[in-house]
Amino acid sequence: MKRLLTLIIAIILMLTITISASAADFVESITNKGAPELVVIDQLNGKDVVGFITGPDGDRLSTEFLDCLIITSVSEAPTDPDIPEDAKEELLKVYEELNKPGTKLSEVCPELTDIVKEKWGKDKTADDLVIKDLFDLTDYCDDLKEHLKDGAILDLTFDLGIGKGVFVTAMVYVDGKWVPVVDCINNGDGTVTVKFDQICPVAFLVPGSGVNMSTVSPTTNDASGIIMWSAVMLVSLVAIMALVMYRRRVNG
């Protein structure tokens, strides 16, 4: 009997550790990860095309090349020599502001809640989101900024590695405040296409839990792994208890 109890405890500990490890894999700090990569969508004159610029009238004005843009994450900002000092300072400043205890996305960017309710669920708010990626998007092609000033839109696709059907949105830091992007679409293959009307610090937001917005599940709140291990634990315990009862009955 004692051996069986010891076995039960050992199994519980083993599965608990496994579940904890699985849960830990769902939490990734934005201070320990690089910036998301842009997806190359075409080639033009031997150069990688990553997006296109559309004017207010819907006409495509020009393409955007990979070598025109530099994406710098929070983890890279302090040591990246290519990012301008003013952009670096702004990125680190917004990170510190977002990472303050008690910070709420519904207060940081009030317009987000309307987007969440419309595209994710009426019972959801911006505070049900967490930050997956925070980075600076710097442009080195002067024509892009001029086009955006005139009301143009820039389409870019990022490889975020998120699951199909997962809600995702984004916000940009403009003139001292966060505002939602024009549009943000989960393509279902791990990539997300975003329409920008400004080039500046960008934050991608996905469903999550907790108030610390500096950490978030890389695949949002998909807890399938945890559920699976919980089921394994339950089945194992039921089997062991059935064995204990059977032996008691046999031994009379």
Side-chain angles (χ1 to χ4, degrees):
M1 185 63 183
K2 289 183 178 180
R3 289 181 179 179
L4 282 174
L5 290 176
T6 301
L7 178 61
I8 292 173
I9 294 173
I11 291 176
I12 292 174
L13 287 174
M14 180 185 69
L15 291 175
T16 301
I17 291 172
T18 304
I19 291 173
S20 298
S22 298
D25 290 340
F26 283 85
V27 180
E28 183 177 7
S29 172
I30 62 173
T31 58
N32 296 323
K33 62 189 296 190
E37 294 185 358
L38 284 166
V39 177
V40 175
I41 60 174
D42 200 359
Q43 286 275 327
L44 183 62
N45 298 327
K47 299 175 67 176
D48 291 331
V49 176
V50 293
F52 51 88
I53 304 167
T54 306
D57 55 1
D59 292 336
R60 184 174 296 187
L61 302 177
S62 65
T63 56
E64 187 62 25
F65 296 105
L66 182 61
D67 57 6
C68 284
L69 297 172
I70 289 183
I71 302 177
T72 306
S73 67
V74 171
S75 62
E76 298 165 330
T79 57
D80 191 335
D82 294 323
I83 184 172
E85 283 300 319
D86 56 344
K88 180 185 300 185
E89 291 176 3
E90 185 172 52
L91 178 60
L92 295 176
K93 182 189 76 171
V94 297
Y95 167 71
E96 292 297 333
E97 291 176 351
L98 290 171
N99 202 40
K100 289 180 181 178
T103 300
K104 294 184 177 181
L105 280 172
S106 60
E107 298 174 354
V108 169
C109 184
E111 299 96 326
L112 277 177
T113 291
D114 290 337
I115 294 175
V116 168
K117 289 184 178 298
E118 177 185 351
K119 298 185 177 182
W120 183 21
K122 293 182 179 180
D123 60 333
K124 305 295 184 180
T125 72
D127 294 328
D128 292 312
L129 301 173
V130 285
I131 295 175
K132 174 174 173 54
D133 292 278
L134 175 63
F135 57 90
D136 178 77
L137 184 60
T138 304
D139 167 57
Y140 284 92
C141 298
D142 294 335
D143 60 333
L144 172 57
K145 292 182 180 179
E146 293 303 316
H147 285 315
L148 295 180
K149 286 181 181 178
D150 294 334
I153 296 295
L154 169 65
D155 283 67
L156 294 174
T157 298
F158 297 83
D159 186 358
L160 296 186
I162 65 172
K164 183 179 181 180
V166 171
F167 174 73
V168 58
T169 188
M171 60 184 185
V172 291
Y173 192 73
V174 182
D175 297 330
K177 65 177 184 178
W178 287 99
V179 295
V181 298
V182 177
D183 206 352
C184 187
I185 301 172
N186 183 345
N187 298 315
D189 59 357
T191 67
V192 173
T193 298
V194 185
K195 296 181 182 296
F196 293 101
D197 57 2
Q198 299 282 346
I199 293 296
C200 46
V202 180
F204 278 111
L205 313 167
V206 293
S209 60
V211 295
N212 181 4
M213 296 191 300
S214 67
T215 58
V216 68
S217 157
T219 53
T220 72
N221 58 349
D222 178 9
S224 57
I226 297 176
I227 293 173
M228 179 190 72
W229 284 112
S230 298
V232 171
M233 177 186 288
L234 179 60
V235 171
S236 300
L237 290 176
V238 170
I240 292 172
M241 293 306 297
L243 178 60
V244 171
M245 294 177 64
Y246 173 77
R247 287 195 173 184
R248 280 184 175 178
R249 187 178 302 171
V250 170
N251 295 332

